[in-house]
Amino acid sequence: MDILAELNGNIATVGYGLAAIGPGIGLGILIGKALEGMARQPEVTNTLRTNMFIGVAFVEVLALLGLITGFLF
């Protein structure tokens, strides 16, 4: 039975690692596109920055949800 408990811990660790990949990719795309938009149209920088920070908050929630799920299960 000790082997099964150890296996479950390793699977949870791998699961969180996989859950962190998605938000990491999402943040890269989100911030990159916001900066690209700011470079193309400097007059809408404030609007893009505000929307970018709202999007970053939602993406970070996904990463934290993956972390909490790893602890719960």
Side-chain angles (χ1 to χ4, degrees), residues 2 5 7-8 12-17 23-24 27 29 32 42 46 49 51 56 61 63 65 67 70:
D2 292 331
L7 184 63
N8 286 337
T13 304
V14 170
Y16 175 65
L27 281 172
I29 293 171
N46 291 331
R49 185 180 301 130
N51 290 338
V56 165
V61 166
L65 186 63
L67 177 67

PDB file of all heavy atoms in Angstrom, residues 2 5 7-8 12-17 23-24 27 29 32 42 46 49 51 56 61 63 65 67 70:
ATOM      1  N   ASP A   2       2.089   1.202   0.475  1.00  0.00           N
ATOM      2  CA  ASP A   2       2.945   2.381   0.478  1.00  0.00           C
ATOM      3  C   ASP A   2       3.277   2.831  -0.938  1.00  0.00           C
ATOM      4  O   ASP A   2       3.400   4.009  -1.203  1.00  0.00           O
ATOM      5  CB  ASP A   2       4.240   2.093   1.241  1.00  0.00           C
ATOM      6  CG  ASP A   2       3.982   1.909   2.731  1.00  0.00           C
ATOM      7  OD1 ASP A   2       3.007   2.509   3.222  1.00  0.00           O
ATOM      8  OD2 ASP A   2       4.743   1.172   3.373  1.00  0.00           O
ATOM      9  N   ALA A   5       0.363   5.006  -2.375  1.00  0.00           N
ATOM     10  CA  ALA A   5       0.334   6.364  -1.840  1.00  0.00           C
ATOM     11  C   ALA A   5       1.426   7.217  -2.483  1.00  0.00           C
ATOM     12  O   ALA A   5       1.208   8.381  -2.798  1.00  0.00           O
ATOM     13  CB  ALA A   5       0.490   6.337  -0.329  1.00  0.00           C
ATOM     14  N   LEU A   7       2.692   6.762  -5.440  1.00  0.00           N
ATOM     15  CA  LEU A   7       2.309   6.959  -6.833  1.00  0.00           C
ATOM     16  C   LEU A   7       1.278   8.076  -6.948  1.00  0.00           C
ATOM     17  O   LEU A   7       1.344   8.896  -7.845  1.00  0.00           O
ATOM     18  CB  LEU A   7       1.756   5.650  -7.405  1.00  0.00           C
ATOM     19  CG  LEU A   7       1.397   5.660  -8.886  1.00  0.00           C
ATOM     20  CD1 LEU A   7       2.642   5.913  -9.710  1.00  0.00           C
ATOM     21  CD2 LEU A   7       0.781   4.339  -9.271  1.00  0.00           C
ATOM     22  N   ASN A   8       0.322   8.144  -6.028  1.00  0.00           N
ATOM     23  CA  ASN A   8      -0.684   9.197  -6.070  1.00  0.00           C
ATOM     24  C   ASN A   8      -0.049  10.573  -5.880  1.00  0.00           C
ATOM     25  O   ASN A   8      -0.446  11.535  -6.516  1.00  0.00           O
ATOM     26  CB  ASN A   8      -1.752   8.981  -4.989  1.00  0.00           C
ATOM     27  CG  ASN A   8      -2.683   7.852  -5.339  1.00  0.00           C
ATOM     28  OD1 ASN A   8      -2.826   7.515  -6.501  1.00  0.00           O
ATOM     29  ND2 ASN A   8      -3.294   7.271  -4.333  1.00  0.00           N
ATOM     30  N   ALA A  12      -0.169  13.648  -8.709  1.00  0.00           N
ATOM     31  CA  ALA A  12      -0.669  14.993  -8.398  1.00  0.00           C
ATOM     32  C   ALA A  12       0.357  16.050  -8.782  1.00  0.00           C
ATOM     33  O   ALA A  12       0.000  17.111  -9.289  1.00  0.00           O
ATOM     34  CB  ALA A  12      -1.017  15.090  -6.921  1.00  0.00           C
ATOM     35  N   THR A  13       1.621  15.768  -8.571  1.00  0.00           N
ATOM     36  CA  THR A  13       2.672  16.722  -8.924  1.00  0.00           C
ATOM     37  C   THR A  13       2.740  16.907 -10.433  1.00  0.00           C
ATOM     38  O   THR A  13       2.837  18.027 -10.930  1.00  0.00           O
ATOM     39  CB  THR A  13       4.034  16.236  -8.393  1.00  0.00           C
ATOM     40  OG1 THR A  13       3.935  16.038  -6.988  1.00  0.00           O
ATOM     41  CG2 THR A  13       5.117  17.233  -8.703  1.00  0.00           C
ATOM     42  N   VAL A  14       2.662  15.825 -11.163  1.00  0.00           N
ATOM     43  CA  VAL A  14       2.670  15.905 -12.618  1.00  0.00           C
ATOM     44  C   VAL A  14       1.420  16.635 -13.106  1.00  0.00           C
ATOM     45  O   VAL A  14       1.471  17.447 -14.032  1.00  0.00           O
ATOM     46  CB  VAL A  14       2.757  14.491 -13.241  1.00  0.00           C
ATOM     47  CG1 VAL A  14       2.527  14.532 -14.738  1.00  0.00           C
ATOM     48  CG2 VAL A  14       4.101  13.872 -12.927  1.00  0.00           C
ATOM     49  N   GLY A  15       0.296  16.373 -12.454  1.00  0.00           N
ATOM     50  CA  GLY A  15      -0.949  17.039 -12.839  1.00  0.00           C
ATOM     51  C   GLY A  15      -0.866  18.541 -12.669  1.00  0.00           C
ATOM     52  O   GLY A  15      -1.336  19.298 -13.521  1.00  0.00           O
ATOM     53  N   TYR A  16      -0.271  19.006 -11.576  1.00  0.00           N
ATOM     54  CA  TYR A  16      -0.139  20.457 -11.393  1.00  0.00           C
ATOM     55  C   TYR A  16       0.831  21.035 -12.415  1.00  0.00           C
ATOM     56  O   TYR A  16       0.610  22.130 -12.927  1.00  0.00           O
ATOM     57  CB  TYR A  16       0.323  20.836  -9.996  1.00  0.00           C
ATOM     58  CG  TYR A  16       0.558  22.317  -9.904  1.00  0.00           C
ATOM     59  CD1 TYR A  16      -0.500  23.195 -10.044  1.00  0.00           C
ATOM     60  CD2 TYR A  16       1.829  22.834  -9.737  1.00  0.00           C
ATOM     61  CE1 TYR A  16      -0.292  24.559 -10.015  1.00  0.00           C
ATOM     62  CE2 TYR A  16       2.040  24.189  -9.699  1.00  0.00           C
ATOM     63  CZ  TYR A  16       0.977  25.051  -9.839  1.00  0.00           C
ATOM     64  OH  TYR A  16       1.184  26.392  -9.819  1.00  0.00           O
ATOM     65  N   GLY A  17       1.880  20.310 -12.724  1.00  0.00           N
ATOM     66  CA  GLY A  17       2.814  20.790 -13.744  1.00  0.00           C
ATOM     67  C   GLY A  17       2.124  20.972 -15.086  1.00  0.00           C
ATOM     68  O   GLY A  17       2.325  21.968 -15.777  1.00  0.00           O
ATOM     69  N   PRO A  23      -1.922  28.113 -18.351  1.00  0.00           N
ATOM     70  CA  PRO A  23      -1.880  29.544 -18.008  1.00  0.00           C
ATOM     71  C   PRO A  23      -0.582  30.226 -18.423  1.00  0.00           C
ATOM     72  O   PRO A  23      -0.594  31.405 -18.776  1.00  0.00           O
ATOM     73  CB  PRO A  23      -2.039  29.548 -16.490  1.00  0.00           C
ATOM     74  CG  PRO A  23      -2.792  28.312 -16.193  1.00  0.00           C
ATOM     75  CD  PRO A  23      -2.297  27.305 -17.192  1.00  0.00           C
ATOM     76  N   GLY A  24       0.524  29.501 -18.392  1.00  0.00           N
ATOM     77  CA  GLY A  24       1.786  30.100 -18.826  1.00  0.00           C
ATOM     78  C   GLY A  24       1.753  30.477 -20.297  1.00  0.00           C
ATOM     79  O   GLY A  24       2.166  31.572 -20.688  1.00  0.00           O
ATOM     80  N   LEU A  27      -0.718  33.453 -20.700  1.00  0.00           N
ATOM     81  CA  LEU A  27      -0.136  34.744 -20.319  1.00  0.00           C
ATOM     82  C   LEU A  27       0.805  35.276 -21.403  1.00  0.00           C
ATOM     83  O   LEU A  27       0.797  36.467 -21.710  1.00  0.00           O
ATOM     84  CB  LEU A  27       0.625  34.625 -18.999  1.00  0.00           C
ATOM     85  CG  LEU A  27      -0.211  34.628 -17.740  1.00  0.00           C
ATOM     86  CD1 LEU A  27       0.661  34.318 -16.529  1.00  0.00           C
ATOM     87  CD2 LEU A  27      -0.905  35.953 -17.560  1.00  0.00           C
ATOM     88  N   ILE A  29       0.719  34.685 -24.641  1.00  0.00           N
ATOM     89  CA  ILE A  29      -0.062  35.155 -25.788  1.00  0.00           C
ATOM     90  C   ILE A  29      -0.788  36.455 -25.450  1.00  0.00           C
ATOM     91  O   ILE A  29      -0.787  37.404 -26.238  1.00  0.00           O
ATOM     92  CB  ILE A  29      -1.057  34.066 -26.230  1.00  0.00           C
ATOM     93  CG1 ILE A  29      -0.295  32.870 -26.801  1.00  0.00           C
ATOM     94  CG2 ILE A  29      -2.052  34.617 -27.254  1.00  0.00           C
ATOM     95  CD1 ILE A  29      -1.165  31.662 -27.068  1.00  0.00           C
ATOM     96  N   GLY A  32       1.704  39.400 -25.055  1.00  0.00           N
ATOM     97  CA  GLY A  32       2.313  39.683 -26.355  1.00  0.00           C
ATOM     98  C   GLY A  32       1.361  40.406 -27.301  1.00  0.00           C
ATOM     99  O   GLY A  32       1.736  41.378 -27.960  1.00  0.00           O
ATOM    100  N   PRO A  42      -1.119  53.501 -30.487  1.00  0.00           N
ATOM    101  CA  PRO A  42      -0.753  54.060 -29.181  1.00  0.00           C
ATOM    102  C   PRO A  42      -1.896  54.816 -28.494  1.00  0.00           C
ATOM    103  O   PRO A  42      -1.894  54.959 -27.279  1.00  0.00           O
ATOM    104  CB  PRO A  42       0.389  55.015 -29.500  1.00  0.00           C
ATOM    105  CG  PRO A  42       0.885  54.630 -30.842  1.00  0.00           C
ATOM    106  CD  PRO A  42      -0.258  53.994 -31.552  1.00  0.00           C
ATOM    107  N   ASN A  46      -4.302  52.866 -22.894  1.00  0.00           N
ATOM    108  CA  ASN A  46      -4.937  52.725 -21.582  1.00  0.00           C
ATOM    109  C   ASN A  46      -6.022  51.660 -21.584  1.00  0.00           C
ATOM    110  O   ASN A  46      -6.140  50.872 -20.643  1.00  0.00           O
ATOM    111  CB  ASN A  46      -5.502  54.069 -21.120  1.00  0.00           C
ATOM    112  CG  ASN A  46      -4.410  55.058 -20.789  1.00  0.00           C
ATOM    113  OD1 ASN A  46      -3.324  54.665 -20.387  1.00  0.00           O
ATOM    114  ND2 ASN A  46      -4.681  56.334 -20.979  1.00  0.00           N
ATOM    115  N   ARG A  49      -4.350  48.230 -21.848  1.00  0.00           N
ATOM    116  CA  ARG A  49      -3.673  47.874 -20.601  1.00  0.00           C
ATOM    117  C   ARG A  49      -4.696  47.397 -19.560  1.00  0.00           C
ATOM    118  O   ARG A  49      -4.477  46.402 -18.880  1.00  0.00           O
ATOM    119  CB  ARG A  49      -2.877  49.051 -20.070  1.00  0.00           C
ATOM    120  CG  ARG A  49      -2.053  48.691 -18.841  1.00  0.00           C
ATOM    121  CD  ARG A  49      -1.255  49.864 -18.301  1.00  0.00           C
ATOM    122  NE  ARG A  49      -0.352  50.380 -19.318  1.00  0.00           N
ATOM    123  CZ  ARG A  49      -0.270  51.676 -19.632  1.00  0.00           C
ATOM    124  NH1 ARG A  49      -1.022  52.558 -19.035  1.00  0.00           N
ATOM    125  NH2 ARG A  49       0.589  52.067 -20.551  1.00  0.00           N
ATOM    126  N   ASN A  51      -7.711  46.107 -20.102  1.00  0.00           N
ATOM    127  CA  ASN A  51      -8.226  44.796 -20.516  1.00  0.00           C
ATOM    128  C   ASN A  51      -7.190  43.697 -20.326  1.00  0.00           C
ATOM    129  O   ASN A  51      -7.531  42.565 -19.992  1.00  0.00           O
ATOM    130  CB  ASN A  51      -8.687  44.845 -21.966  1.00  0.00           C
ATOM    131  CG  ASN A  51      -9.944  45.663 -22.140  1.00  0.00           C
ATOM    132  OD1 ASN A  51     -10.698  45.856 -21.196  1.00  0.00           O
ATOM    133  ND2 ASN A  51     -10.149  46.159 -23.341  1.00  0.00           N
ATOM    134  N   VAL A  56      -5.198  38.953 -17.413  1.00  0.00           N
ATOM    135  CA  VAL A  56      -4.130  38.333 -16.624  1.00  0.00           C
ATOM    136  C   VAL A  56      -4.698  37.787 -15.315  1.00  0.00           C
ATOM    137  O   VAL A  56      -4.335  36.694 -14.874  1.00  0.00           O
ATOM    138  CB  VAL A  56      -2.985  39.337 -16.362  1.00  0.00           C
ATOM    139  CG1 VAL A  56      -2.053  38.857 -15.271  1.00  0.00           C
ATOM    140  CG2 VAL A  56      -2.206  39.574 -17.638  1.00  0.00           C
ATOM    141  N   VAL A  61      -6.097  32.981 -12.158  1.00  0.00           N
ATOM    142  CA  VAL A  61      -7.079  32.202 -11.398  1.00  0.00           C
ATOM    143  C   VAL A  61      -7.047  30.745 -11.854  1.00  0.00           C
ATOM    144  O   VAL A  61      -7.166  29.823 -11.044  1.00  0.00           O
ATOM    145  CB  VAL A  61      -8.492  32.806 -11.537  1.00  0.00           C
ATOM    146  CG1 VAL A  61      -9.560  31.852 -11.066  1.00  0.00           C
ATOM    147  CG2 VAL A  61      -8.570  34.095 -10.762  1.00  0.00           C
ATOM    148  N   ALA A  63      -4.438  29.099 -12.955  1.00  0.00           N
ATOM    149  CA  ALA A  63      -3.245  28.478 -12.373  1.00  0.00           C
ATOM    150  C   ALA A  63      -3.464  28.167 -10.897  1.00  0.00           C
ATOM    151  O   ALA A  63      -3.093  27.092 -10.416  1.00  0.00           O
ATOM    152  CB  ALA A  63      -2.041  29.390 -12.547  1.00  0.00           C
ATOM    153  N   LEU A  65      -6.326  27.658  -9.457  1.00  0.00           N
ATOM    154  CA  LEU A  65      -7.312  26.587  -9.389  1.00  0.00           C
ATOM    155  C   LEU A  65      -6.640  25.225  -9.579  1.00  0.00           C
ATOM    156  O   LEU A  65      -6.976  24.258  -8.892  1.00  0.00           O
ATOM    157  CB  LEU A  65      -8.396  26.802 -10.452  1.00  0.00           C
ATOM    158  CG  LEU A  65      -9.573  25.868 -10.437  1.00  0.00           C
ATOM    159  CD1 LEU A  65     -10.353  26.023  -9.146  1.00  0.00           C
ATOM    160  CD2 LEU A  65     -10.464  26.143 -11.619  1.00  0.00           C
ATOM    161  N   LEU A  67      -3.540  24.550  -8.772  1.00  0.00           N
ATOM    162  CA  LEU A  67      -2.779  24.309  -7.543  1.00  0.00           C
ATOM    163  C   LEU A  67      -3.696  23.804  -6.430  1.00  0.00           C
ATOM    164  O   LEU A  67      -3.385  22.825  -5.745  1.00  0.00           O
ATOM    165  CB  LEU A  67      -2.076  25.595  -7.106  1.00  0.00           C
ATOM    166  CG  LEU A  67      -1.297  25.525  -5.792  1.00  0.00           C
ATOM    167  CD1 LEU A  67      -0.103  24.598  -5.955  1.00  0.00           C
ATOM    168  CD2 LEU A  67      -0.847  26.906  -5.375  1.00  0.00           C
ATOM    169  N   GLY A  70      -4.811  20.262  -6.991  1.00  0.00           N
ATOM    170  CA  GLY A  70      -3.761  19.309  -6.633  1.00  0.00           C
ATOM    171  C   GLY A  70      -3.723  19.001  -5.145  1.00  0.00           C
ATOM    172  O   GLY A  70      -3.469  17.882  -4.735  1.00  0.00           O
TER     173      GLY A  70
END
